[in-house]
Amino acid sequence: MRLSQLLLVTLREDPADAELPSHKLLVRAGYIRRVGNGIYAYLPFMWRVLQKVSQIVREEMNRSGAQECLLPQLQPADLWRESGRWETYTKAEGIMFALRDRQDRDLGLGPTHEEVITALARDLIRSYRQLPLHLYQIQTKFRDEIRPRFGLMRGREFIMKDGYSFHADAASLDQTYNLMYQTYSRILQRCGLEFRAVEADSGAIGGSKSHEFMVLAEAGEDEVLFSEDGQYAANSEKAVSVPPKAQPSPFTAVETVETPDCSTLEALCESLNCSATQVLKTVLYGASFENDRQVLVLVGLRGDQTVNEVKLVNALTARAPRYDATALISLSPLESEAAQALLKPDCPLGYIAPDLSDKWINNQPHLEPAFLRLLDETAVPLQGFVAGANQLGQHRVGLRWGNPMVQPQEVVDVRQAQAGDRAVHDPSQRLRTARGIEIGHIFQLGRKYSQAMGATYTSEQGKEEALVMGCYGVGVSRLAQAAVEQSYDDQGIIWPVALAPYQAIVVIPNLKDAQQVAVADQIYHDLNQAGIETLLDDRQERAGVKFKDADLLGIPYRVVTGRAVAQGEVEVVIRASGESVQIAIDQILPTLRQWIARALAGPDR
Amino acid sequence: MRLSQLLLVTLREDPADAELPSHKLLVRAGYIRRVGNGIYAYLPFMWRVLQKVSQIVREEMNRSGAQECLLPQLQPADLWRESGRWETYTKAEGIMFALRDRQDRDLGLGPTHEEVITALARDLIRSYRQLPLHLYQIQTKFRDEIRPRFGLMRGREFIMKDGYSFHADAASLDQTYNLMYQTYSRILQRCGLEFRAVEADSGAIGGSKSHEFMVLAEAGEDEVLFSEDGQYAANSEKAVSVPPKAQPSPFTAVETVETPDCSTLEALCESLNCSATQVLKTVLYGASFENDRQVLVLVGLRGDQTVNEVKLVNALTARAPRYDATALISLSPLESEAAQALLKPDCPLGYIAPDLSDKWINNQPHLEPAFLRLLDETAVPLQGFVAGANQLGQHRVGLRWGNPMVQPQEVVDVRQAQAGDRAVHDPSQRLRTARGIEIGHIFQLGRKYSQAMGATYTSEQGKEEALVMGCYGVGVSRLAQAAVEQSYDDQGIIWPVALAPYQAIVVIPNLKDAQQVAVADQIYHDLNQAGIETLLDDRQERAGVKFKDADLLGIPYRVVTGRAVAQGEVEVVIRASGESVQIAIDQILPTLRQWIARALAGPDR
C-alpha cells in the first residue's frame, strides 16, 4: 500500500496515561487509540498485526485437530448460576460486566466461556464415540477491571483465543493438555518471541493442573522462578522450593522471657541474639466469604519466610465449605485499624502465637468465634523455637511442638518461594527469577463444570459419566503488545518479522528525482507481487521524517532508493540490528525473500 | 476433514421456536445452537460459512480502497450524549444494551459505530490531504430486540461489516457511495445470491440518501417495489409512485349532506355514489416526543390511498424542533380507547376533516392544544371533493381548497406506494412487488455526526469545515441465513458454492468394501490437495443416513464411491439440481474443479 493513502498518524509526544514503553509506542506509532477507560480502537496497522497473531494461532490450533467456532458474548446469567460463578464474577470479584435486558433478564458479558461451552456440550455430546472433542474461538472478551492500564495489557475489552476440550477420562485430557503445551510453544516460537512455560495457579477458573506461557520482558507484571537446568519453572505465585536451612536453636529449655519493644522480627532477633530461622512467626489475616461469614486466620511460618497470599487464598477457598461458603471474596492482613475492630482491645498484636486464645475475638454478627489456625510446612520441623507469649512484651523460647505448644494440625504450603532458594527436583539447583507477561494459560479443569452443570456422556460400558474438561487461552491483543514490550529501542518498535504489519517499506528520499521514484515503484510492485507485504512511503515529507516514521512503525526492512540508484543500487536498513547494506536493485527481491524465510522459519515446518 | 472427527449433530425434528425454514434448517443441520433468547452459538460448520462471507466482504472492501480496523464494542455513553442519541437508543427505542461499570460510568454495547468513528476522526483527521478516508470493521454487534426471532435474522448478537467514510465535500462522498453500491453488488454476486438494490429510508441512522440491498426470498420481512424496466426499485417504506387517476367529481356545489352510518369509506362512497378518489380522507394520529410532549396529528389524503407510517414518522421527526424535541418515540393511529382519552367525548370521529377544530382536544398536561395538520400530496389536486363535516352523520361535498376549506399549508409525501401504481420515472411502467431480506444498507450521512461532535478538517482554503460522512453496513450472519432462505428444498440446505462450508463430500456407502474405502480416501486426499474443501463421511452409519446428512448439510457436490468403483467410476450428485452423473475416477478432480470455477466466477474477475 502507498502510505499516502493509508491512515497513519504518528505522535511526537508520549500519551499522558501510558506507563509501559510498549503502550507509549503503540499510541505514538498510530497503532491504537484510546476510546474510553481501558477501551481501545485497533487502527489499520494494528489490525494487520492482530490478524497475523490470530492466523498463527488458528493454523496451529487447526493442526492440533481443534475445531473453530464462535460462541456468544452475551451470556445468560442462568448458566453462571448453574456453575455457581454468577455471584463471584459479578459481585464478589466483580470482573464480569452484568446487564439487564428489556425482559428484565440478567446477562453477563463473557470474560470466559466455560459455562456456555459446557451447556453446549451437555446438548451436543451423547456418547464416548464423540470424544475427545476440542472447540476453540478467537473473540473479543470483557473484564470490568478496577484499574485498567498498560494499554492492551490490562484492558476492559481484549481479543482472546479460548479453547475447551472434552474427554472420557483423565488420560485423554492429559494427551490434549500436552498437545496444547506443544501447540502454545509452537505459536510463540512462530511469533518470534522469547518465552517460558511455567507452572501456574489455576485461580478463579479452577481445576487441578495449569501452566502459563510467559513472554519475557523487563516490565512484565509477573515474576517467574526457574531452575538453571530448565527443568523447573513456575509463576512465583505458585512456585515451590527448598527453604534455606534453619540455624540450630540455642534455646534448650522452655522459658518465658521479657521482650519489650520487640513487636518486629528484627528487634526480637537482636534482643534474643537468635536467627529469624529459629522464630515461629504468626501472621493474622481477616477473610470474608461470599455468604458474608468472616473468619480470622492465624498463619504460623518460619520467621525468615513470607506468606504467598495466592497460596493462602487457595488454602482458604478449599476450606470454604466448613463455613457453608463456596468462594472467598476478600483476604487482608490484619494491620489496618478497621481490621483490628475485629479483635478485643489490648489484644497483644506483635506478640501472638498460633495458640492465641479465641477469647480475643470480638463478639460480632457474621464473625466466626474461633480462629482458623494454619501452619506453613516450614514451621513443622522447628525445635526449641521462639514464639510470642500472647502477652504484650513477652516471648517464649525453647518451644517444641506438643506441650506447651499444641501439635500442628493443619499444615499447608503458603510460603513464598524466592530467587536463591534451592529447587525441589534437584537441591543442587538454585532458583532464578525473571519477569514475564502472561499471554497463555492452559488448565486441566477435570469435572468441575460438567458435574455442576450435568454435562455427561454415555461411556463404552453404557454408564452415564461427567465429561472431563480442559481449557486453553491465548491473549491475542496482549501478545501483540507483549511482542513490542520485548522488542523496541529509542527509535520505536522492532516487530518480529512474523507479526510486523508490513515486512518491508520502500522509502523515496527525494520525490523530485524521477529515477528514485521509478526504481521505488518497481521494487514496491515486485515485492508485493512476490507476496512480500510492502509499503511505499510516497508522502510529500522530508527523508528524515520518513526514516523516523519507518523506525517508529518498526517495519523489519527499509529499502531506500537514494542517490545510489544511479549506480544500480539501493540501501536496505535492517530494523532489528540497525545494519545498513547496499544491494543491487535486481538482488532486492531474492535477498529479502531469503531473509524473511529465515526469520519465519518456525519449529520443524 | 473426516466427518468421524468433526462435531456434527443433526436433528430429525424442527426446533420448537423456529418459524422460518432457514432457521429450522440451520438448527437441524447442526450449524447453530440457541444459547439464550436471540443468542446463538455458531458451531464449526457455521463458522466456516461465516468466514467465507467475511472473506468475500473483506476482499471487496479492500479492493475498494477501504482500510480494515477494529473498534471497541463497549462504547462510553458520553460519545452518544454528544451525538444526542444516548436517550433515544437506550430509552426511547431501547435497542442499545446499556450497562454501568465499577466506576459507575455508563457504557453502551455497540449496535453501530457512528459515534466512536466520529470521535476517532476528530482526533486523527486534520487536513484535507488525509481525505477521503474509509475505515471498516467486521464485528459482533448487539441489539436489545424486544422480540428476537427468525434465528440469526433478528438476533440480539450478530456479525456485521460496518464501514464509515470521511470526505471534504458531497461530490467525494457521492463517489465513495457509488463505489460502495458497486462493491455491495459485487459481494452479493460473488456470494451467489439473487438480490435487488433499492432506495431506502434512512431510519435512526439519519442522513439524506440511502440504499438497501435485499436478498430476494419469499419469507423476507421487507416488501420491495420495482419497475419492470429495472430503472426503479425501493423499499415499500420509501417507495414513491404516480397514484392512479382520480375520477372527476360529480359534485359542483358546496353542500352539507346527511350521511348517517357512513363512518367508513366504503359506506360513504356507496351512500354518495362516488369514487374513493373523490374523497378527502382524514386520519388522526397521536405522537409522543422524547421530551414527553404529545401532539395530535391530522393527516389528509385521497380516499383510495393509505398512510405510509415510516414516511409519516420522518415528517414528524423533521418537525420535532417546533416542540423543542429531537426524536419521536411513538406514533399510533387514534383508534384505541386509550388514545381517544386525548379527545373530548362526542368528538365526531369518522366524520372529521383536516379543518377539525382544536376545541376537541382535551386539556391535559404535555398535550399540545392544537392539531398538527398535514396533507398528503394526493390531496392537493382534488377539486369538488367530499370530506367530513366535523359533525356526526354529516359530510360536505363539492369542496375546493380555499374557502370554505383552508388552503393546504403543510404538504408532505406520506402515501404508501403500491404494486400496480405507475412509476415516477416513466409512467408507462407499472410497479411490481417482491419480498426481500435486507442484508446491506448504505447511507449518506452528510455532516449530521461531524457537526454534532465537532469533527472538522482544514480545507485546501485553510478553513475549518465539518467532515462529510457516509456509512455502509452488511449483515454477515444475516446474509448467511438469507442464503439458506433463498435456497433450500425438502431435503435441506442448498448452499451456493461460494458459501458452502465444504464444497464436496465423499461418501463411502459400504465401509466393509476395501476398494470403496481406498478410492474414497484417494479422492478425498486428491481434492483437498487441489484446494477443493472436501469432507469424507467415514462414519459407521448406513448409506441412507449419510446421504440424508449430506443433503441436509447442503454440500454442493456429493461423490459416492459405490459399487461402480469396480468399473473405475463413481457417482456425483449435484445438490442444487439433484442430478446424478457417473464419472471416471480420474476425471473427478478436473470435473469438480471446472464446476466450482464456473460457480465461483464472479463479476469480471
Side-chain angles (χ1 to χ4, degrees):
Chain A
M1 292 289 289
R2 288 169 184 272
L3 216 42
S4 61
Q5 285 162 28
L6 288 183
L7 174 64
L8 174 66
V9 178
T10 56
L11 304 175
R12 282 194 221 167
E13 304 292 328
D14 283 333
D17 63 335
E19 298 167 54
L20 288 188
S22 53
H23 182 190
K24 291 177 192 171
L25 286 170
L26 287 174
V27 174
R28 278 189 49 212
Y31 283 89
I32 60 174
R33 271 291 186 284
R34 184 182 180 281
V35 170
N37 194 18
I39 301 173
Y40 290 85
Y42 307 117
L43 299 179
F45 280 89
M46 192 67 199
W47 184 241
R48 292 180 71 94
V49 174
L50 292 172
Q51 281 184 300
K52 294 197 171 194
V53 177
S54 295
Q55 191 53 28
I56 291 172
V57 169
R58 181 171 284 133
E59 285 171 14
E60 294 300 329
M61 289 303 293
N62 291 348
R63 172 206 285 260
S64 83
Q67 297 171 59
E68 189 169 359
C69 65
L70 190 69
L71 305 175
Q73 295 173 298
L74 286 174
Q75 306 191 355
D78 287 346
L79 294 180
W80 287 73
R81 293 197 178 105
E82 282 189 55
S83 73
R85 291 205 297 182
W86 179 255
E87 291 295 321
T88 322
Y89 266 67
T90 61
K91 304 279 162 52
E93 301 195 357
I95 57 157
M96 181 154 75
F97 287 105
L99 51 101
R100 195 159 275 191
D101 69 13
R102 289 209 268 187
Q103 278 75 40
D104 256 344
R105 280 185 227 123
D106 288 322
L107 293 165
L109 267 185
T112 181
H113 278 72
E114 283 80 10
E115 281 76 4
V116 168
I117 198 86
T118 306
L120 281 170
R122 177 169 64 186
D123 171 17
L124 294 167
I125 299 178
R126 292 274 164 270
S127 152
Y128 71 94
R129 281 196 206 88
Q130 295 169 277
L131 300 175
L133 177 69
H134 188 170
L135 295 174
Y136 77 96
Q137 58 175 347
I138 297 174
Q139 186 191 52
T140 296
K141 300 247 181 298
F142 304 92
R143 278 176 73 101
D144 192 0
E145 293 285 351
I146 288 194
R147 203 189 145 206
R149 56 191 166 147
F150 304 144
L152 310 184
M153 292 286 190
R154 191 164 289 281
R156 300 201 292 172
E157 185 173 335
F158 50 95
I159 303 174
M160 272 195 72
K161 186 287 291 183
D162 50 330
Y164 306 87
S165 67
F166 298 90
H167 309 268
D169 53 38
S172 167
L173 169 58
D174 257 338
Q175 215 167 12
T176 298
Y177 187 89
N178 292 338
L179 183 57
M180 279 303 106
Y181 188 101
Q182 290 159 32
T183 298
Y184 278 34
S185 300
R186 291 178 64 92
I187 289 170
L188 288 166
Q189 281 161 22
R190 284 189 57 189
C191 288
L193 298 173
E194 253 196 285
F195 72 99
R196 213 172 267 279
V198 303
E199 291 179 14
D201 181 62
S202 300
I205 301 289
S208 51
K209 190 171 165 185
S210 88
H211 281 88
E212 284 169 346
F213 290 78
M214 296 283 186
V215 168
L216 300 182
E218 274 173 36
E221 275 196 287
D222 283 281
E223 191 188 24
V224 168
L225 289 173
F226 60 97
S227 62
E228 289 153 325
D229 64 1
Q231 294 297 303
Y232 180 77
N235 190 315
S236 70
E237 290 178 345
K238 163 86 177 181
V240 293
S241 65
V242 180
K245 269 224 165 82
Q247 304 278 330
S249 170
F251 306 108
T252 49
V254 178
E255 257 186 285
T256 299
V257 297
E258 297 295 321
T259 50
D261 302 326
C262 286
S263 68
T264 68
L265 190 73
E266 295 71 27
L268 178 66
C269 290
E270 202 178 322
S271 155
L272 294 182
N273 193 24
C274 69
S275 142
T277 63
Q278 295 153 349
V279 177
L280 174 68
K281 179 164 76 175
T282 305
V283 193
L284 183 59
Y285 282 88
S288 302
F289 293 97
E290 94 289 355
N291 58 0
D292 286 342
R293 285 173 74 171
Q294 283 184 292
V295 61
L296 296 172
V297 188
L298 287 172
V299 180
L301 77 171
R302 209 173 75 183
D304 61 323
Q305 300 300 312
T306 53
V307 173
N308 175 324
E309 291 189 0
V310 173
K311 290 182 179 179
L312 181 56
V313 164
N314 291 340
L316 294 175
T317 301
R319 286 161 179 78
R322 64 173 83 152
Y323 304 105
D324 301 321
T326 54
L328 189 73
I329 57 168
S330 81
L331 174 73
S332 49
L334 278 198
E335 288 165 353
S336 63
E337 283 177 38
Q340 287 185 9
L342 301 172
L343 295 168
K344 297 221 170 94
D346 306 329
C347 173
L349 290 174
Y351 292 87
I352 63 174
D355 59 349
L356 180 68
S357 164
D358 291 331
K359 74 173 187 191
W360 291 106
I361 300 176
N362 255 339
N363 185 10
Q364 283 188 7
H366 306 302
L367 184 59
E368 297 300 309
F371 288 112
L372 171 61
R373 298 164 201 270
L374 299 177
L375 272 188
D376 180 66
E377 289 167 351
T378 53
V380 179
L382 292 178
Q383 297 205 333
F385 56 86
V386 176
N390 300 319
Q391 292 280 350
L392 278 178
Q394 293 189 350
H395 276 85
R396 290 169 287 173
V397 301
L399 292 169
R400 271 163 223 282
W401 293 108
N403 277 328
M405 200 78 175
V406 285
Q407 203 62 26
Q409 294 257 334
E410 296 204 55
V411 177
V412 288
D413 169 23
V414 291
R415 167 185 163 266
Q416 181 70 49
Q418 283 170 344
D421 287 351
R422 291 177 188 280
V424 172
H425 75 286
D426 176 357
S428 76
Q429 294 278 328
R430 298 272 181 186
L431 295 188
R432 287 198 181 178
T433 183
R435 296 209 73 84
I437 299 162
E438 181 202 338
I439 61 84
H441 204 157
I442 61 179
F443 300 88
Q444 294 205 352
L445 298 175
R447 299 191 167 88
K448 173 176 161 148
Y449 294 91
S450 56
Q451 266 167 354
M453 299 179 67
T456 60
Y457 72 100
T458 308
S459 74
E460 214 167 338
Q461 291 75 38
K463 268 191 174 164
E464 202 76 346
E465 310 250 23
L467 289 158
V468 178
M469 292 173 58
C471 87
Y472 320 92
V474 171
V476 169
S477 43
R478 189 171 237 249
L479 186 153
Q481 185 173 334
V484 178
E485 195 59 43
Q486 187 172 86
S487 176
Y488 64 90
D489 64 14
D490 290 350
Q491 302 306 307
I493 297 169
I494 305 173
W495 286 111
V497 174
L499 303 188
Y502 293 86
Q503 294 157 343
I505 181 167
V506 180
V507 178
I508 313 170
N510 182 2
L511 280 174
K512 288 178 192 144
D513 181 331
Q515 197 185 0
Q516 288 191 14
V517 173
V519 169
D521 270 344
Q522 190 62 47
I523 293 175
Y524 165 67
H525 176 264
D526 291 348
L527 292 180
N528 275 308
Q529 201 67 13
I532 298 175
E533 297 156 307
T534 305
L535 286 168
L536 178 66
D537 193 346
D538 57 343
R539 295 175 302 166
Q540 298 279 0
E541 295 282 359
R542 282 180 299 110
V545 169
K546 294 182 180 184
F547 296 158
K548 260 193 162 1
D549 278 349
D551 280 354
L552 181 58
L553 273 172
I555 308 299
Y557 306 106
R558 188 216 301 165
V559 180
V560 185
T561 58
R563 277 185 219 129
V565 295
Q567 289 80 51
E569 282 191 346
V570 294
E571 182 194 20
V572 180
V573 182
I574 301 167
R575 179 66 184 94
S577 63
E579 215 180 328
S580 158
V581 199
Q582 291 293 125
I583 296 185
I585 292 171
D586 62 359
Q587 287 307 302
I588 280 291
L589 175 55
T591 306
L592 285 187
R593 193 183 261 153
Q594 194 191 350
W595 288 353
I596 289 169
R598 205 188 309 147
L600 294 184
D604 60 276
R605 302 180 64 225
Chain B
M1 291 288 290
R2 288 168 184 271
L3 216 42
S4 60
Q5 286 163 27
L6 288 182
L7 175 63
L8 173 65
V9 178
T10 57
L11 303 176
R12 282 195 220 162
E13 304 292 328
D14 283 335
D17 63 333
E19 299 167 56
L20 288 188
S22 54
H23 182 191
K24 291 176 192 171
L25 286 170
L26 287 174
V27 174
R28 279 189 49 210
Y31 283 89
I32 59 174
R33 272 290 187 283
R34 184 182 180 279
V35 171
N37 194 19
I39 300 172
Y40 290 85
Y42 307 116
L43 299 180
F45 279 88
M46 191 70 200
W47 185 240
R48 291 179 71 95
V49 174
L50 293 171
Q51 280 185 299
K52 293 195 174 194
V53 177
S54 297
Q55 190 53 28
I56 291 172
V57 169
R58 181 171 285 133
E59 285 172 16
E60 293 300 329
M61 289 303 294
N62 290 350
R63 171 206 286 258
S64 83
Q67 298 171 59
E68 189 171 359
C69 65
L70 190 69
L71 305 175
Q73 295 172 297
L74 285 173
Q75 305 192 357
D78 287 347
L79 294 179
W80 287 72
R81 293 198 177 103
E82 282 188 57
S83 73
R85 291 204 297 180
W86 178 254
E87 291 295 321
T88 322
Y89 265 66
T90 61
K91 304 279 164 50
E93 303 197 356
I95 58 155
M96 181 154 76
F97 287 106
L99 52 100
R100 195 157 276 186
D101 69 13
R102 290 208 267 188
Q103 277 78 40
D104 256 343
R105 279 185 229 125
D106 288 321
L107 293 165
L109 267 185
T112 180
H113 278 72
E114 283 81 9
E115 283 76 4
V116 168
I117 199 85
T118 307
L120 281 169
R122 176 169 66 186
D123 171 19
L124 294 168
I125 300 178
R126 292 273 164 273
S127 152
Y128 72 94
R129 282 196 205 87
Q130 296 169 275
L131 299 176
L133 176 68
H134 187 171
L135 296 174
Y136 78 97
Q137 58 176 346
I138 298 174
Q139 187 191 51
T140 296
K141 300 247 181 300
F142 304 91
R143 278 177 73 102
D144 192 359
E145 293 285 350
I146 286 196
R147 202 188 147 206
R149 56 191 167 148
F150 305 144
L152 310 184
M153 292 285 189
R154 192 164 288 283
R156 300 202 291 174
E157 183 171 337
F158 50 94
I159 303 174
M160 273 196 71
K161 185 288 289 184
D162 51 327
Y164 306 87
S165 68
F166 298 90
H167 308 269
D169 54 37
S172 167
L173 168 59
D174 257 339
Q175 215 167 11
T176 298
Y177 186 88
N178 293 337
L179 183 57
M180 279 302 107
Y181 187 100
Q182 291 159 30
T183 298
Y184 277 35
S185 300
R186 291 179 62 94
I187 288 170
L188 288 166
Q189 281 161 21
R190 285 189 58 189
C191 288
L193 297 174
E194 254 197 285
F195 71 99
R196 214 172 266 279
V198 303
E199 290 180 14
D201 181 63
S202 301
I205 301 289
S208 52
K209 188 172 167 186
S210 87
H211 280 88
E212 284 168 346
F213 289 78
M214 296 283 186
V215 168
L216 300 183
E218 275 173 37
E221 275 196 288
D222 283 281
E223 192 189 21
V224 168
L225 289 173
F226 60 97
S227 63
E228 288 151 327
D229 65 358
Q231 294 297 302
Y232 180 74
N235 190 316
S236 69
E237 291 178 345
K238 165 86 177 182
V240 294
S241 64
V242 180
K245 269 224 162 85
Q247 305 278 332
S249 171
F251 306 108
T252 47
V254 178
E255 257 185 284
T256 298
V257 295
E258 296 297 318
T259 50
D261 302 325
C262 288
S263 66
T264 68
L265 189 72
E266 293 71 27
L268 179 67
C269 290
E270 201 178 325
S271 158
L272 295 182
N273 194 22
C274 69
S275 142
T277 63
Q278 295 154 349
V279 177
L280 175 68
K281 179 164 77 176
T282 305
V283 193
L284 182 60
Y285 283 87
S288 303
F289 293 98
E290 93 291 353
N291 57 359
D292 287 339
R293 285 174 74 171
Q294 284 181 293
V295 61
L296 295 173
V297 188
L298 286 172
V299 180
L301 76 171
R302 209 173 76 185
D304 62 324
Q305 300 300 311
T306 53
V307 174
N308 175 325
E309 292 189 0
V310 172
K311 290 183 178 177
L312 181 55
V313 164
N314 291 340
L316 294 175
T317 302
R319 287 159 179 81
R322 64 173 84 152
Y323 304 105
D324 301 321
T326 55
L328 188 72
I329 59 166
S330 81
L331 173 72
S332 49
L334 278 199
E335 289 164 353
S336 64
E337 285 178 37
Q340 289 185 8
L342 301 172
L343 295 168
K344 297 219 171 98
D346 306 326
C347 173
L349 290 175
Y351 292 87
I352 62 175
D355 58 350
L356 180 68
S357 163
D358 292 331
K359 75 173 186 192
W360 290 106
I361 300 177
N362 256 339
N363 184 11
Q364 284 187 8
H366 306 301
L367 183 61
E368 297 302 308
F371 289 111
L372 172 60
R373 298 164 202 272
L374 299 178
L375 273 187
D376 180 66
E377 290 167 350
T378 53
V380 179
L382 292 179
Q383 297 206 333
F385 55 86
V386 177
N390 299 320
Q391 293 279 348
L392 278 178
Q394 292 190 350
H395 277 83
R396 291 168 287 176
V397 302
L399 293 169
R400 275 164 220 283
W401 294 108
N403 278 328
M405 201 77 176
V406 285
Q407 202 62 26
Q409 294 259 334
E410 296 203 54
V411 176
V412 289
D413 170 22
V414 292
R415 167 185 164 268
Q416 181 70 50
Q418 282 169 344
D421 287 352
R422 291 178 187 280
V424 172
H425 75 286
D426 176 356
S428 76
Q429 294 279 327
R430 297 272 180 185
L431 294 189
R432 288 197 181 179
T433 182
R435 298 208 71 84
I437 299 163
E438 181 201 338
I439 62 86
H441 203 156
I442 61 178
F443 300 88
Q444 292 205 356
L445 297 175
R447 298 191 168 90
K448 174 176 162 147
Y449 294 92
S450 57
Q451 265 166 354
M453 299 179 66
T456 60
Y457 72 99
T458 307
S459 74
E460 212 166 341
Q461 290 75 37
K463 266 192 177 165
E464 201 77 346
E465 309 251 24
L467 289 158
V468 177
M469 291 172 59
C471 86
Y472 320 93
V474 172
V476 169
S477 43
R478 189 171 236 252
L479 186 153
Q481 185 173 335
V484 178
E485 195 59 42
Q486 187 171 87
S487 177
Y488 65 90
D489 65 14
D490 290 348
Q491 302 307 308
I493 297 168
I494 305 174
W495 285 113
V497 174
L499 303 188
Y502 293 87
Q503 296 157 341
I505 181 167
V506 180
V507 179
I508 313 170
N510 182 2
L511 279 174
K512 286 177 194 148
D513 182 332
Q515 198 186 359
Q516 288 192 15
V517 173
V519 169
D521 270 345
Q522 189 62 46
I523 293 175
Y524 165 68
H525 176 264
D526 291 349
L527 293 181
N528 274 309
Q529 202 66 13
I532 298 176
E533 297 156 308
T534 305
L535 286 168
L536 178 66
D537 193 345
D538 58 343
R539 295 176 302 165
Q540 298 280 358
E541 295 282 0
R542 282 180 300 112
V545 170
K546 293 183 180 183
F547 295 159
K548 261 192 162 359
D549 277 350
D551 280 354
L552 181 58
L553 273 172
I555 308 299
Y557 306 106
R558 188 217 300 165
V559 180
V560 184
T561 58
R563 280 187 215 128
V565 296
Q567 288 81 50
E569 284 192 341
V570 294
E571 182 195 19
V572 180
V573 182
I574 300 167
R575 179 69 185 91
S577 63
E579 215 180 327
S580 159
V581 199
Q582 291 293 126
I583 295 183
I585 291 171
D586 62 359
Q587 287 307 302
I588 281 292
L589 174 56
T591 305
L592 285 188
R593 193 182 261 152
Q594 196 191 346
W595 289 354
I596 290 169
R598 205 188 310 149
L600 293 183
D604 63 273
R605 303 179 63 225

